[in-house]
Amino acid sequence: DNKPYEDKNKVESKILKALGARVKELRQQNGISQEKLAFEIGVDRTYIGAIEQGKRVRQFIVFLQLRTTCLLYTSDAADEL
């Protein structure tokens, strides 16, 4: 049964879309183009577009999962992340 896996993917997709929408909102509020933001953080403009569409940032999700897991073991370790 793939139900738990499918549910996890749906949750991750919602998180990525919400994160992407927030990145776009903040970028636009600050008058920054995708090109300028991409240059500032050292990625291609298409990567910024993919983030804003909720299609990228899986590494961020993994980081959050790692940090959350570390919090379960020790708050000191999580503070160092």
Side-chain angles (χ1 to χ4, degrees):
D1 184 20
N2 286 337
K3 181 80 170 127
Y5 181 74
E6 291 170 4
D7 289 345
K8 181 181 176 191
N9 283 341
K10 287 180 184 177
V11 169
E12 284 184 5
S13 179
K14 286 181 181 180
I15 291 170
L16 291 177
K17 286 181 182 180
L19 177 63
R22 184 67 176 141
V23 167
K24 183 176 182 176
E25 178 184 355
L26 291 171
R27 178 181 61 74
Q28 290 176 334
Q29 283 177 359
N30 288 291
I32 302 170
S33 68
Q34 285 184 343
E35 291 82 5
K36 180 165 176 49
L37 180 58
F39 177 79
E40 292 293 327
I41 64 172
V43 299
D44 190 79
R45 182 206 53 81
T46 59
Y47 190 79
I48 299 299
I51 289 170
E52 291 181 356
Q53 294 172 26
K55 295 180 180 177
R56 298 296 293 260
V57 197
R58 184 155 304 277
Q59 297 89 344
F60 182 72
I61 296 295
V62 171
F63 171 77
L64 289 177
Q65 290 170 334
L66 287 170
R67 190 172 195 288
T68 300
T69 301
C70 287
L71 283 172
L72 296 176
Y73 296 110
T74 171
S75 60
D76 293 338
D79 289 340
E80 294 179 19
L81 290 177

